[in-house]
């Protein structure tokens, strides 16, 4: 599926000329003890395949790492160093296992600084290449985000968290109960984003995504629920659907759920126009005796003003909250 064209506004352009999602293996040459990397491509190799077929050549000393190569360790007995010895074969088997046994054993090339770095140097991004990692390393991503969000303070992050918490309280009785079997049937028992099969009985591996985030006062409903793997949902977080899905995916999502495509494709947050603000306010002010009522009212008023919902309040609630026209 094609993605929308995006304009680079960060001042950090992507390096062209190599596939940014492909994988590498890294190893220390057993002859010269220098670090080497070998390009693998878009399909990871397993330890057995590496052991049987690998011919990894050191770029510094040209030593070939293969199960058919003698071991160059002078401190080993001479007969142990022979490639066909039991000791050498077990060494080679473990050597290739170390570099290929798990996805996090592989390395990746950064599309912004051109370094080949370990798996954990990149943040997760479901569906991107065999390693499912972002194109830029964490260091470069930090520089990019500094340009995209130069004034994102701790206070702003706190306010965002507060809004999400308030929204969850406001919507507490608005969420519909989702029929899991129906959800899996509509989405073909697959993660909508990655298309990977999901097992309804393995509850920890999948989740129900608020397509339009609850942060903007959209309750969970049949038309606002998508089936995602846990990893894909973690990657989406509170992002708008237009910031996470491709155009084709948005169209397909609207067809499956009956959601409003205008809302799905919006690049800017649209507060739920159908929310019963007064009902939500009543629910929000149903507090425990030990709650900080002053703080609770302050946070609610700030959110109502920010979301331009004051006009939807009844005169009684405006007076109750001390909101003047």
């Amino acid at each position: 599926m094609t993605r929308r064209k995006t304009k680079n506004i960060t001042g950090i352009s992507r390096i062209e000329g190599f596939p940014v999602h492909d994988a590498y293996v890294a190893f220390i040459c057993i002859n010269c003890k220098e670090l080497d990397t070998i390009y693998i491509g878009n399909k990871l190799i397993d330890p057995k395949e590496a052991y049987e077929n690998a011919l990894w050549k050191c770029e510094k000393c040209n030593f070939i790492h293969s199960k058919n190569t003698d071991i160059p360790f002078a401190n080993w007995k001479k007969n142990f160093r022979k490639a066909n010895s039991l000791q050498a074969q077990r060494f080679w088997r473990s050597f290739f296992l170390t570099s290929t046994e798990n996805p996090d054993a592989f390395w990746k090339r950064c599309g912004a600084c051109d370094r080949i770095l370990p798996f954990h140097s990149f943040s997760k991004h479901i569906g991107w290449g065999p390693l499912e990692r972002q194109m830029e390393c964490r260091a470069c991503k930090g520089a990019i985000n500094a340009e995209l969000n130069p004034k994102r303070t701790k206070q702003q992050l706190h306010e965002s968290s507060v809004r999400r918490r308030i929204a969850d309280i406001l919507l507490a009785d608005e969420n519909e109960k989702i029929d899991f079997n129906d959800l899996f049937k509509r989405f073909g028992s697959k993660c909508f984003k990655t298309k990977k099969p999901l097992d309804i009985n393995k509850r920890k591996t999948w989740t129900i995504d608020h397509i339009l985030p609850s942060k903007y006062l959209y309750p969970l409903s049949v038309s606002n629920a998508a089936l995602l793997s846990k990893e894909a949902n973690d990657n989406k977080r509170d992002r708008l659907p237009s910031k996470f899905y491709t155009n084709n995916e948005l169209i397909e999502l609207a067809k499956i759920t009956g959601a409003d495509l205008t809302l799905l494709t919006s690049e800017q947050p649209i507060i739920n126009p159908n929310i019963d603000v007064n009902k939500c306010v009543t629910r929000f002010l149903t507090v425990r005796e030990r709650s900080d009522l002053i703080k609770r009212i302050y946070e609610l008023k700030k959110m109502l003003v920010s979301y331009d919902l004051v006009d939807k309040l009844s005169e009684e609630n405006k007076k109750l909250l001390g909101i003047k026209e």
Side-chain angles (χ1 to χ4, degrees):
M1 295 182 179
T2 57
R3 297 183 66 87
R4 292 181 297 280
K5 291 183 178 180
T6 56
K7 182 179 179 181
N8 188 332
I9 60 173
T10 66
I12 301 175
S13 59
R14 187 170 298 139
I15 298 170
E16 304 292 340
F18 68 91
V20 292
H21 298 308
D22 287 1
Y24 294 74
V25 291
F27 61 95
I28 301 296
C29 174
I30 67 171
N31 185 55
C32 70
K33 310 302 188 292
E34 294 290 333
L35 176 66
D36 275 282
T37 56
I38 300 288
Y39 175 72
I40 295 298
N42 61 9
K43 183 179 179 182
L44 303 184
I45 58 175
D46 60 39
K48 183 178 180 181
E49 180 185 357
Y51 171 72
E52 293 293 341
N53 304 317
L55 297 169
W56 294 353
K57 182 178 179 180
C58 174
E59 293 184 355
K60 284 80 175 178
C61 69
N62 296 322
F63 185 86
I64 301 297
H65 297 74
S66 162
K67 71 172 185 176
N68 298 316
T69 301
D70 291 347
I71 304 296
F73 301 153
N75 58 314
W76 284 29
K77 287 185 177 181
K78 188 174 182 179
N79 59 316
F80 287 2
R81 301 199 298 260
K82 293 293 184 181
N84 60 358
S85 71
L86 177 62
Q87 291 78 9
Q89 286 303 300
R90 288 192 174 179
F91 172 86
W92 283 122
R93 193 178 296 276
S94 295
F95 174 87
F96 291 115
L97 175 68
T98 302
S99 297
T100 60
E101 62 181 330
N102 295 306
D104 58 6
F106 290 84
W107 289 39
K108 189 176 182 297
R109 190 172 177 179
C110 175
C113 68
D114 204 27
R115 295 180 297 163
I116 299 175
L117 299 166
F119 175 90
H120 292 297
S121 298
F122 299 83
S123 295
K124 183 182 295 184
H125 196 296
I126 299 300
W128 277 14
L131 298 178
E132 297 193 324
R133 298 278 124 173
Q134 292 188 348
M135 290 183 282
E136 302 88 3
C137 68
R138 288 178 174 176
C140 289
K141 200 67 176 179
I144 291 170
N145 288 338
E147 179 63 25
L148 293 176
N149 300 297
K151 297 179 181 179
R152 189 71 167 169
T153 64
K154 288 185 178 180
Q155 179 62 27
Q156 288 173 318
L157 292 171
H158 171 71
E159 289 179 0
S160 178
S161 175
V162 168
R163 287 184 183 180
R164 190 181 305 111
R165 177 173 57 81
I166 294 175
D168 288 341
I169 297 173
L170 293 176
L171 297 174
D173 294 334
E174 302 294 320
N175 295 318
E176 295 180 8
K177 186 175 181 179
I178 302 299
D179 185 319
F180 292 170
N181 289 314
D182 176 66
L183 182 72
F184 267 73
K185 182 179 179 180
R186 287 188 293 120
F187 284 90
S189 297
K190 295 179 181 179
C191 170
F192 179 71
K193 183 63 180 177
T194 67
K195 309 307 179 190
K196 290 184 177 179
L198 296 173
D199 186 340
I200 194 172
N201 296 312
K202 295 181 179 179
R203 188 63 182 87
K204 293 183 178 181
T205 64
W206 58 270
T207 188
I208 302 173
D209 170 51
H210 274 78
I211 301 170
L212 293 163
S214 60
K215 177 180 177 179
Y216 301 116
L217 304 181
Y218 290 92
L220 190 64
S221 65
V222 172
S223 62
N224 195 39
L227 179 62
L228 293 180
S229 66
K230 186 179 183 304
E231 293 80 8
N233 190 62
D234 288 345
N235 190 40
K236 180 177 181 285
R237 293 174 293 182
D238 279 337
R239 282 193 281 177
L240 293 170
S242 62
K243 303 293 186 181
F244 182 67
Y245 297 111
T246 66
N247 282 337
N248 288 336
E249 287 170 343
L250 291 172
I251 294 171
E252 183 183 359
L253 195 56
K255 290 179 178 178
I256 293 174
T257 64
D260 185 339
L261 190 57
T262 302
L263 291 175
L264 297 186
T265 56
S266 174
E267 296 286 339
Q268 299 298 325
I270 298 176
I271 307 304
N272 184 0
N274 301 315
I275 193 72
D276 187 335
V277 178
N278 291 296
K279 184 178 178 181
C280 289
V281 167
T282 299
R283 184 183 304 119
F284 190 77
L285 293 179
T286 303
V287 298
R288 298 187 302 271
E289 282 300 319
R290 293 186 179 182
S291 297
D292 188 338
L293 187 57
I294 295 176
K295 181 179 179 181
R296 200 177 182 93
I297 292 173
Y298 170 78
E299 291 175 344
L300 176 60
K301 288 168 63 175
K302 191 172 182 179
M303 183 174 178
L304 291 172
V305 171
S306 174
Y307 281 2
D308 198 22
L309 294 173
V310 173
D311 288 343
K312 292 195 173 189
L313 285 173
S314 66
E315 291 301 320
E316 181 182 356
N317 276 330
K318 287 180 183 177
K319 185 176 180 180
L320 180 65
L321 296 173
I323 297 177
K324 298 180 180 180
E325 295 291 347

